[in-house]
Amino acid sequence: MYDLIIVGAGPAGVSAAIYASRARIGTLWIDNRFIPGGQISDSGRVDNYPGIPGVSGADLGEKLHAHAKSLGMTPLREKVLSIERQQDGRNVRFVVTTKKNRYEARTVICSAGASHRMLDIPGEQELSGSGVSYCATCDGAFFKDRRTVVIGGGNTACEDALFLARLCREVTLVHRRDELRADAVLQELVRQEPKIRILWNTVPRAIEGEMQVTGLKVCNVVTQEESLLETDGVFIAVGTTPNSALVRDLVQTDPSGYVCAGEDGVTNVPGLFVAGDVRTKQLRQVVTAASDGANCVESVQRYLRSQR
Ligand code: NAP
C-alpha cells in the first residue's frame, strides 16, 4: 500500500513527484507516455517559464524529468485503466488498475492533463494524419514550402502559425471571431509576419481531400458566405479537453469535464487530489501546473496526518 499514487507526468505530475520525494512520502508515479513533459513536449518554444527563456517544450520536458530522476523519481510506463475508491469505516483506499498491474494507495493525485479538442467536422477524422494535424511542431516539417491553414485564435494557434510561417509558403489563420484570444506578444508577432494571413469571423465547415488534404471549406459568420481555401495541411488548435475520464464517475466536475478544485487541489472526494490542466482554474500554463503539483502534495500531507 502506497501513501500516494501520482497519475500523469506533465509539469504538474513532475512537480508533485519532486515535492513528494522531498517530503519522503511513499509514492508510486505512473504515466503511459514515453515522451517526457506532457503537452509541452509538443510546444516548439516555451518563453514564459521563469528562469528558462526560449526553451523548446521537448527540452523543458527532459529537464523536468531529469530533475525528478535526480531525486529518485521516475514514472512507471503503464496505462492507467481505472481509479476506484474503497472505504471500510475510516479506512479509505484507492485502487489504481493499469494494463499490467493493480496498485493501492491512501491518496491519489490525478494530474492527467488535457488533450487537444476536435472540431467534429466532415473530413477531420478521415484525413487525420493525411494533412490534418493537431501538432505543428510534430508535423510542420512535412509541409515545407507548402500552404497550410491553422484553425483557432488562442496561444497554440498563434504559436503554430508562427512556427509554420518559418517553413511554409503561406499560412492562413482561420478564427471564428474578430479578435484573437492569444497573449498580446503573440498577437503582435502574428500581425508582423508577412506570410500569415488572418481570416476573421470564419468557421471551418469541412476538410476536403481524397487521400490527402486539398482544401478547407469555410463560412464567414457575418456574411454567411461560403468559400473553399486550397491548402495542403490543416492544423487544428481549438483548445483542449480535460483528461478526467478516469475520475469523472468519482468526483465533481464542471460542465466541460474539468475536476472542481482550488489551488490546494482538494476535490469533493477525500483522498483524491487534482493538479494541473485537469482541474478548474483560470490559467493553464506550465508555471501554474508546477505550482499545483507542489500545493497538492502539501494537501496530501495534511490529509495523511488527519487520517492517523
Ligand atoms: P484556447 O486558449 O482555449 O483557444 C482555443 C481557440 O480555439 C480560441 O480562439 C477559440 O475561439 C477557438 N475555438 C474553440 N472551439 C472552436 C471551434 N469549434 N471552431 C473554431 N474555433 C474554435 O486553447 P489553446 O490555444 O490550445 O490554449 C490552451 C491553454 O494552454 C490556454 O490556457 C493557453 O494560454 C495555454 N497555452 C499557453 C502557451 C504559452 O503560454 N506559450 C502556449 C500554448 C497554450 P474563441 O476565442 O472564440 O473562444
Side-chain angles (χ1 to χ4, degrees), residues 90-92 106-107 270 302-308:
R90 271 200 59 186
N91 291 328
V92 173
R106 293 183 177 84
T107 62
R302 284 176 191 213
Y303 172 82
L304 289 172
R305 279 197 296 271
S306 76
Q307 296 300 101
R308 279 190 202 122

Side-chain angles (χ1 to χ4, degrees), residues 48 117 119 152-156 159 175-177 181 237-239 284-285:
N48 50 10
R117 183 183 289 142
L119 278 172
N155 281 335
T156 305
E159 284 187 351
H175 183 39
R176 63 183 177 184
R177 290 187 295 132
R181 164 188 298 277
V238 295
R284 295 190 170 83
Q285 301 274 295

Side-chain angles (χ1 to χ4, degrees), residues 180-254:
L180 296 170
R181 164 188 298 277
D183 294 349
V185 63
L186 282 172
Q187 294 195 32
E188 279 166 26
L189 290 171
V190 163
R191 286 172 207 271
Q192 284 160 13
E193 172 53 61
K195 279 196 196 166
I196 301 177
R197 167 176 78 121
I198 306 181
L199 277 191
W200 301 105
N201 299 312
T202 303
V203 292
R205 288 280 194 241
I207 301 170
E208 309 251 299
E210 287 294 322
M211 306 293 281
Q212 198 68 32
V213 167
T214 53
L216 175 72
K217 249 195 201 154
V218 293
C219 177
N220 183 303
V221 290
V222 178
T223 61
Q224 298 306 321
E225 198 179 311
E226 292 205 329
S227 56
L228 178 70
L229 297 176
E230 286 184 9
T231 184
D232 303 301
V234 175
F235 287 83
I236 299 170
V238 295
T240 55
T241 54
N243 296 329
S244 56
L246 285 170
V247 292
R248 205 169 285 164
D249 293 340
L250 286 178
V251 75
Q252 188 188 346
T253 57
D254 77 359

Side-chain angles (χ1 to χ4, degrees), residues 6-267:
I6 301 168
V7 178
V14 171
S15 158
I18 289 171
Y19 276 74
S21 163
R22 289 169 54 85
R24 303 288 187 254
I25 298 173
T27 303
L28 177 71
W29 186 20
I30 312 178
D31 186 88
N32 69 333
R33 276 177 63 125
F34 279 92
I35 301 166
Q39 286 176 87
I40 48 150
S41 60
D42 293 342
S43 189
R45 189 179 156 101
V46 179
D47 232 348
N48 50 10
Y49 192 73
I52 320 180
V55 66
S56 77
D59 284 351
L60 183 54
E62 295 280 357
K63 280 182 200 290
L64 290 169
H65 275 236
H67 185 174
K69 196 172 176 191
S70 73
L71 295 170
M73 302 297 287
T74 304
L76 269 188
R77 299 292 173 202
E78 291 186 24
K79 184 172 172 60
V80 175
L81 301 178
S82 66
I83 300 175
E84 283 168 63
R85 183 176 187 269
Q86 297 176 351
Q87 185 156 11
D88 179 11
R90 271 200 59 186
N91 291 328
V92 173
R93 68 174 59 194
F94 291 87
V95 178
V96 175
T97 307
T98 69
K99 257 185 167 171
K100 297 180 191 160
N101 290 302
R102 183 179 181 277
Y103 304 101
E104 292 185 0
R106 293 183 177 84
T107 62
V108 165
I109 293 178
C110 176
S111 49
S115 301
H116 61 74
R117 183 183 289 142
M118 298 191 56
L119 278 172
D120 287 328
I121 57 172
E124 180 181 19
Q125 254 182 4
E126 298 85 330
L127 291 162
S128 180
S130 303
V132 173
S133 169
Y134 300 86
C135 177
T137 45
C138 318
D139 301 327
F142 298 122
F143 297 88
K144 193 168 182 310
D145 299 327
R146 303 174 82 179
R147 296 159 305 180
T148 51
V149 169
V150 177
I151 302 170
N155 281 335
T156 305
C158 287
E159 284 187 351
D160 285 0
L162 289 164
F163 179 84
L164 291 168
R166 297 207 293 271
L167 296 163
C168 301
R169 181 154 38 105
E170 60 177 52
V171 180
T172 307
L173 185 61
V174 171
H175 183 39
R176 63 183 177 184
R177 290 187 295 132
D178 60 359
E179 189 187 12
L180 296 170
R181 164 188 298 277
D183 294 349
V185 63
L186 282 172
Q187 294 195 32
E188 279 166 26
L189 290 171
V190 163
R191 286 172 207 271
Q192 284 160 13
E193 172 53 61
K195 279 196 196 166
I196 301 177
R197 167 176 78 121
I198 306 181
L199 277 191
W200 301 105
N201 299 312
T202 303
V203 292
R205 288 280 194 241
I207 301 170
E208 309 251 299
E210 287 294 322
M211 306 293 281
Q212 198 68 32
V213 167
T214 53
L216 175 72
K217 249 195 201 154
V218 293
C219 177
N220 183 303
V221 290
V222 178
T223 61
Q224 298 306 321
E225 198 179 311
E226 292 205 329
S227 56
L228 178 70
L229 297 176
E230 286 184 9
T231 184
D232 303 301
V234 175
F235 287 83
I236 299 170
V238 295
T240 55
T241 54
N243 296 329
S244 56
L246 285 170
V247 292
R248 205 169 285 164
D249 293 340
L250 286 178
V251 75
Q252 188 188 346
T253 57
D254 77 359
S256 303
Y258 292 96
V259 178
C260 297
E263 192 187 39
D264 56 10
V266 174
T267 70

